[in-house]
Amino acid sequence: MTGTGRGNGKTLLLGEHAVVYGMPAIAAGIRLGAVATAVRGDAFALRVGAHAGPELRAALEAAAGALGVGPHRVEVEASVPLGSGLGGSAAIGVAVARALLSAQGEAETPERVLTAAGAWEKVFHGNPSGVDAAAAYSGGCIYFTKAAGIEPLFVAVPLRLVVCLAGPPASTKEMVESVQRLGERRPDLLAKSLSGIESLVKNARLCIEAGDVRGLGQLMNYNQMLLSGMFLSTPEIERACAVARESGALGAKLTGAGGGGAVIALCEDTAPIEAALKSDGFSAFSTEIGASLQPGAEP
Ligand code: PMV
């Protein structure tokens, strides 16, 4: 029996990295994602577009192990760019978990999909907070903590975002480890940054629920300052944020692990900001974050 499944890409509106340390983060699904097809086979094999290899196979085995499922051949088509902070790896993990369950004719539950996607993520980065897998599973806009998991957020006014691939691709594992090393060298600095980010995220939740888009933009700018202070920004990220703000964005920041990857800009009208970023040589697209989605639906 053939099974198929989908996972969403995501942006982190605020709270990346702090979420690894138990603070809240706000994530939102985007239209780009991944679709997986699984068929039973003699051995585990996984292909993502043109990519295959031992790490992908190990991740497939980990996900299948968490579901108690035997060998399968799995093909994945990913529209979300990988290594860009848009949750590509988790989108694929969720798609693979769903495809494996569907190939058994089993109905999915959030617990089973998220456990399998968590096992998948651990292969790529040792200490995932789970926010990527949660957003890849739910779509929509969510408030997430490690302790309480997913809380769908009411989005009073649709959030218009330009997503800019500032690049280059970066490794989430390496960036999470760099924050850990910062904490070892400067525990005071890390603790202050994390508690600052926690306040920003809690206020951002109020802004999203009240439709205060300008306030949300300000909080995103402050979050970017704190992330820069944690050495997670790059000249390309700073330039993309500056171009976005100068052309009218209400706020701009890196999204995901940083060290490269993507920038998000919150806008009243996305067209001039997307155009300004493109004319500066960046690749960019626009997306809109609305109310929460049904699990697995296209954002
Ligand atoms: O780069 P991404 O999309 O995988 O972002 C990961 C978010 C982090 O907070 C940096 C790590 C995590 O596990 O939450």
Side-chain angles (χ1 to χ4, degrees), residues 106-166:
E106 275 186 46
E108 65 176 56
T109 62
E111 291 72 27
R112 294 204 83 199
V113 174
L114 292 175
T115 305
W120 163 281
E121 280 273 274
K122 275 211 172 81
V123 173
F124 298 102
H125 93 85
N127 182 25
S129 66
V131 67
D132 279 15
Y137 176 76
S138 351
C141 191
I142 61 167
Y143 188 85
F144 178 91
T145 56
K146 265 180 165 178
I150 302 171
E151 216 182 309
L153 271 193
F154 171 68
V155 182
V157 170
L159 306 175
R160 300 195 179 99
L161 293 181
V162 176
V163 180
C164 167
L165 301 180

Side-chain angles (χ1 to χ4, degrees), residues 79-219:
S79 57
V80 57
L82 303 177
S84 60
L86 297 177
S89 158
I92 297 173
V94 165
V96 166
R98 284 191 160 132
L100 289 172
L101 283 173
S102 132
Q104 319 311 305
E106 275 186 46
E108 65 176 56
T109 62
E111 291 72 27
R112 294 204 83 199
V113 174
L114 292 175
T115 305
W120 163 281
E121 280 273 274
K122 275 211 172 81
V123 173
F124 298 102
H125 93 85
N127 182 25
S129 66
V131 67
D132 279 15
Y137 176 76
S138 351
C141 191
I142 61 167
Y143 188 85
F144 178 91
T145 56
K146 265 180 165 178
I150 302 171
E151 216 182 309
L153 271 193
F154 171 68
V155 182
V157 170
L159 306 175
R160 300 195 179 99
L161 293 181
V162 176
V163 180
C164 167
L165 301 180
S171 151
T172 301
K173 182 170 192 283
E174 281 169 23
M175 300 318 292
V176 169
E177 285 169 359
S178 83
V179 173
Q180 197 182 328
R181 282 196 300 276
L182 174 68
E184 284 155 14
R185 282 197 319 273
R186 295 284 313 275
D188 53 330
L189 174 66
L190 182 64
K192 279 197 186 122
S193 305
L194 295 180
S195 95
I197 293 173
E198 182 183 24
S199 307
L200 297 177
V201 174
K202 287 182 172 165
N203 286 329
R205 175 188 187 146
L206 301 177
C207 289
I208 291 169
E209 289 175 338
D212 180 2
V213 185
R214 288 188 170 273
L216 180 62
Q218 284 277 316
L219 296 169

Side-chain angles (χ1 to χ4, degrees), residues 33-44:
V35 177
T37 310
V39 282
R40 213 162 284 177
D42 300 335
F44 284 102

